Amino acid sequence: MSEIQLDTLTASEAARDIREGRLSAETLLDACLARVARFNPSLNALVTLDEAGARAAAKAADRKRAAGGNLPPLLGVPVSIKDAFETRGLRTTASFKPLKDYVPDRDATVVARLRAAGAVIVGKSNLPELAGAPHCWSPLFGLTRNPWNPALTPGGSSGGAAVAVAAGFSLLEAGSDLAGSIRIPAAYCGVTGFKATENRIPRTGHIPHLPEHLGGVRSVRRMLSFGALGRSVADLQLGLAVMAGPDGIDSEVPALPVAGASLRDDGRPLRLLLRDDWGLPLCERTRAVFARLPEKLSAAGHVLRRGPVAGIEPAELREVFGLIAGVEIGLGMPGWQRHAFLMLRHLLPPSEQLMRAIARGLRFDMRAYNRALDRREQWIRQLEAELADVDALLCPVVSTVAYPGQPLGPFDRPPRLTVAGQRLPYLEATIGLTVPFSLSGSPVVALPAGVEDGLPVGVQLVGRRWGDDALLAAAARLEPALGGFLMPPALR
């Protein structure tokens, strides 16, 4: 397979071609490794490469296909793994210095399931320390760069994941998302991303929490979700089918079947609610893409209405998210680090709403925490009611397209970002539009919606809780109208 053919190949297409004998797993892996050798030194997406293990797995996949019989769904497909998931026999760091030499003796549940589905693991992708930021600078591995413009960030925390998929280093990646960590990189790199309903996919083997030898205890129990990054909605559906369901360890994952709804267009117009006003400005590129959406979707036959989402104001949603996140993240922090952040809160101006709310959560005020959980339940009820008579809610992923990347440690003051002439606090500008749907635990698909002035812009498609299959089916219907995945021009 030439690199030209790899430009648009998706995981679902590769899986089909391998099963049907039109493509060998070894040939596909060779093409991906050639991309890694050529572009990874400058992009820094993969931080641990397992070429020997991948070649052995690809050979085994080709032997299995030749033998025939019931073939697993991802047979021979190259995948990469966010370095927050434990991988048996392969370095797993979560970009955390105490874990720089950690080699687990077990797989995280999602990794074990990807292996069992026949996937070929190419390596581990970069992320910020403990997956704790919307950028992609690692204190162990440095800066990951956006393939559309290497001066810009790919977003985070699944930044290396999105770059790996966009560049063809792999065709599918497992990701995690507390505040947009799948959705933001997908939007910045022009790939598709899926955050499943909260607790649909087990978190067993995901860092944080820390491994037992570092005294790790489970901390973040709410709002953290898992999913996949790929090049098409069909890839995301394949990832969900492989990764979802109880594992006998994470007791909060219900025994719900993955229905695998058909992604074929049944001709029925989708009913969509469009809201681009969430109390934060949008950059010029994002506004331009959203201005064209009504005409695009109407031309495709879909029914679109604008209107506010009923219920809690967006500013309060961000406040509630921040307080809950502060408590739950704080439970897993070393005491000295939590107290350092508590001291820093006095230096935060009132405009730093999200950071101030997180700092309040770090005080462990259980009455305030319980009130925030009550408001979360109210928001879930209100959003579910609003979604009852539509197929999905459509809204922006981020206030701004990708911005300049730079090293940012946990105690560094992040820059304010200028959006539509306004200087926004860093968290509001990056995660301000994703956290409402982390708070609700809703399934969300991030879709490429176009390229504006040389940079991709994404949209969030939000569905009803536990309606993951129906949401993916709706996203597949929208994908052609929005344009789908485009290989970054410099990598073609």
Side-chain angles (χ1 to χ4, degrees), residues 89-237:
L90 191 61
R91 182 177 61 172
T92 301
T93 72
S95 285
F96 187 50
K97 287 182 178 178
L99 292 176
K100 65 182 178 64
D101 298 315
Y102 176 50
V103 178
D105 58 8
R106 64 171 187 174
D107 280 329
T109 293
V110 299
V111 176
R113 289 176 174 177
L114 287 167
R115 288 193 204 270
V120 173
I121 295 176
V122 176
K124 308 294 289 291
S125 61
N126 203 17
L127 73 162
E129 185 176 49
L130 294 175
H135 57 75
C136 199
W137 177 77
S138 162
L140 293 178
F141 305 112
L143 198 65
T144 296
R145 300 182 180 277
N146 192 308
W148 287 82
N149 181 338
L152 306 181
T153 181
S157 61
S158 305
V163 176
V165 169
F169 301 166
S170 65
L171 297 180
L172 188 70
E173 167 113 22
S176 54
D177 187 314
L178 174 63
S181 286
I182 289 173
R183 293 164 281 165
I184 295 168
Y188 283 178
C189 296
V191 301
T192 59
F194 175 57
K195 176 187 90 71
T197 300
E198 180 182 340
N199 291 326
R200 192 73 195 268
I201 296 171
R203 65 169 294 158
T204 308
H206 180 267
I207 302 169
H209 54 278
L210 294 176
E212 292 178 3
H213 73 278
L214 291 178
V217 294
R218 180 168 177 177
S219 53
V220 181
R221 291 180 175 270
R222 293 170 179 84
M223 305 190 299
L224 176 61
S225 298
F226 303 92
L229 295 98
R231 291 176 160 192
S232 71
V233 175
D235 296 350
L236 306 180
Q237 187 189 49

Side-chain angles (χ1 to χ4, degrees), residues 273 305 307-311 381-390 393:
L273 174 62
R305 68 176 173 88
V309 175
R381 291 195 300 271
Q382 291 170 337
L383 181 59
E384 290 290 295
E386 193 71 20
L387 291 168
D389 63 349
V390 295
L393 165 67

